[in-house]
């Protein structure tokens, strides 16, 4: 992954004494310190590859650093990634996703491209095989997988949990057969496709629509791929909720995530109030970051009653 950076930053990262298995983000902003998010803390680096005591002594990212990183990421063919740039990110080998920020160029009501890119957020992909082991048994009833919504604030591991649920449900376990899973991966965060190839393991029976709007993708999967399960990340908005209801009414089991600390918070989002009133989801898995990302706070049924003991 560090090959995408210019030589100076690459050398700093090689010298850095941290566990890269815990590094979640590397942020480059022109004229600002180079920052890493590792575990639950934010650190900045000195030019000789040490953790700086304060930002005053940190290495300052230059516009040239940004430009060279973009060139390395795109193999000097940035125009070839115009569709991804339009959505605000690039996916690189290994499934790592690089968020982009700069001046947007509009075309009608949509964004045509982005130029004068001034900041990058390299989000390191971390698959955690087995992280769904303790959750998955509670998502079944009479050997039938239930419609499940995973909710948490940002950076609490909901996409990582969803990814492992997809893998296990697709492959099957010793106590349940494998199922056909359709994934709508609008921002390439679940499967992390690079040039059409999945970088993350989503199981043997999984079909992925990459960079496809969620509402449209769910309808396409139902009509063309006959999935038993549909999985989407970070649903929200009226159109997406209509597509979720459509998929459920077609006999598909739904796995989805949403930003929010509690059901009371997310039901205020557009479209969720009706879904809550109808009690369409049968399981609600709530995560927080107590003790680290991925901590399961509760697993509840459609009435909000716990179906599992409280996690410690």
């Amino acid at each position: 992954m560090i090959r995408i950076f210019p030589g100076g930053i690459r050398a700093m990262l090689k010298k850095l004494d941290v566990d890269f298995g815990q590094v979640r983000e590397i942020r480059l902003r022109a004229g600002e310190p180079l920052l890493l998010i590792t575990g639950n803390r934010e650190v900045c680096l000195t030019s000789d590859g040490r953790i700086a005591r304060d930002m005053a002594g940190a290495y300052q990212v230059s516009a040239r650093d940004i430009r060279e990183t973009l060139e390395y990421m795109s193999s000097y063919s940035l125009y070839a990634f115009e569709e991804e740039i339009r959505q605000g990110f690039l996916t690189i080998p290994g499934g790592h996703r690089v968020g982009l920020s700069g001046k947007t160029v509009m075309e009608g009501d949509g964004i045509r491209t982005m130029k004068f890119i001034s900041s990058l957020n390299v989000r390191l992909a971390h698959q955690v095989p087995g992280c769904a082991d303790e959750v998955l048994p509670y998502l079944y009833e009479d050997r039938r997988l239930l419609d499940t919504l995973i909710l948490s604030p940002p950076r609490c591991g909901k996409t990582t949990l969803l990814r492992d649920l997809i893998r296990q449900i697709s492959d099957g376990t010793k106590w349940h057969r494998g199922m056909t899973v359709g994934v709508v991966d609008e921002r390439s965060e679940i499967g992390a496709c690079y040039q059409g190839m999945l970088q993350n393991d989503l199981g043997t029976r999984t079909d992925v629509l990459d960079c496809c709007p969620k509402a449209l993708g769910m309808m396409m999967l139902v009509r063309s791929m006959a999935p038993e399960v549909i999985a989407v990340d970070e649903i929200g908005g009226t159109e997406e909720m209509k597509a979720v209801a459509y998929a459920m009414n077609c006999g598909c089991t739904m796995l989805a995530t949403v930003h929010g600390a509690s059901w009371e918070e997310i039901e205020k989002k557009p479209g969720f109030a009706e879904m809550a009133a109808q009690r369409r989801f049968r399981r609600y898995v709530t995560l927080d970051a107590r003790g680290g990302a991925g901590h399961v706070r509760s697993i509840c049924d459609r009435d909000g009653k716990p179906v599992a003991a409280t996690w410690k």
Side-chain angles (χ1 to χ4, degrees):
M1 182 276 301
I2 65 173
R3 290 180 299 176
I4 70 169
F5 295 107
I9 293 179
R10 193 182 312 166
M12 292 161 52
L13 293 173
K14 284 183 176 180
K15 293 178 182 177
L16 187 62
D17 185 21
V18 298
D19 177 8
F20 268 84
Q22 299 297 316
V23 176
R24 296 159 64 185
E25 297 180 4
I26 302 174
R27 288 186 174 266
L28 287 73
R29 298 182 178 96
E32 300 294 338
L34 176 64
L35 298 176
L36 274 74
I37 308 297
T38 175
N40 289 323
R41 65 179 184 141
E42 177 186 82
V43 299
C44 49
L45 305 184
T46 65
S47 57
D48 58 356
R50 294 181 293 108
I51 294 176
R53 293 183 178 180
D54 52 48
M55 289 192 175
Y59 175 80
Q60 302 294 304
V61 176
S62 67
R64 181 175 178 176
D65 288 331
I66 300 285
R67 184 172 62 252
E68 290 187 8
T69 301
L70 287 168
E71 290 172 348
Y72 292 147
M73 282 193 305
S74 63
S75 300
Y76 296 91
S77 300
L78 200 58
Y79 69 90
F81 294 87
E82 194 167 271
E83 179 59 29
E84 286 187 287
I85 292 173
R86 185 179 67 82
Q87 298 188 63
F89 68 91
L90 292 175
T91 302
I92 62 176
H96 311 297
R97 197 183 73 158
V98 183
L100 313 172
S101 180
K103 181 178 180 179
T104 57
V105 179
M106 304 300 293
E107 185 174 69
D109 293 332
I111 296 173
R112 181 167 65 86
T113 188
M114 187 182 298
K115 61 181 183 179
F116 305 128
I117 294 170
S118 57
S119 59
L120 306 174
N121 178 22
V122 183
R123 299 182 63 180
L124 279 71
H126 292 296
Q127 293 189 85
V128 186
C131 70
D133 288 354
E134 292 186 346
V135 173
L136 190 58
Y138 296 101
L139 307 188
Y140 286 90
E141 189 173 272
D142 297 328
R143 301 187 66 81
R144 179 176 178 272
L145 183 66
L146 303 176
D147 298 306
T148 299
L149 185 65
I150 303 167
L151 53 147
S152 82
R155 296 180 179 175
C156 287
K158 58 183 176 296
T159 304
T160 303
L161 176 61
L162 177 66
R163 186 183 298 118
D164 197 51
L165 286 172
I166 293 168
R167 180 186 65 83
Q168 294 201 43
I169 291 167
S170 173
D171 283 343
T173 67
K174 62 183 180 181
W175 48 275
H176 202 279
R177 68 175 180 84
M179 303 175 73
T180 301
V181 183
V183 177
V184 187
D185 201 3
E186 183 170 6
R187 297 185 63 82
S188 296
E189 289 191 287
I190 304 173
C193 285
Y194 177 72
Q195 296 183 351
M197 298 299 295
L198 288 172
Q199 303 294 293
N200 292 329
D201 181 7
L202 297 184
T204 57
R205 299 176 181 84
T206 300
D207 305 299
V208 179
L209 283 176
D210 186 47
C211 294
C212 179
K214 288 186 281 288
L216 176 62
M218 284 184 269
M219 307 286 275
M220 290 174 62
L221 285 172
V222 169
R223 294 167 181 167
S224 62
M225 301 305 295
E228 297 173 273
V229 181
I230 289 181
V232 291
D233 197 20
E234 298 182 8
I235 57 174
T238 302
E239 291 305 311
E240 290 178 9
M241 297 310 298
K242 287 181 179 178
V244 167
Y246 174 82
M248 289 179 172
N249 290 335
C250 290
C252 298
T253 300
M254 182 62 57
L255 297 177
T257 73
V258 64
H259 279 312
S262 66
W263 178 248
E264 292 75 19
E265 181 178 312
I266 66 169
E267 69 177 346
K268 298 175 184 177
K269 297 176 181 284
F272 273 95
E274 182 177 354
M275 187 70 69
Q278 295 175 354
R279 300 181 180 180
R280 297 300 298 269
F281 285 101
R282 300 283 301 278
R283 290 291 184 268
Y284 296 96
V285 181
T286 304
L287 306 180
D288 58 31
R290 189 175 69 182
H295 176 259
V296 180
R297 193 173 76 193
S298 65
I299 303 176
C300 298
D301 65 12
R302 63 169 64 179
D303 297 314
K305 297 178 180 178
V307 297
T310 302
W311 264 253
K312 296 182 180 179

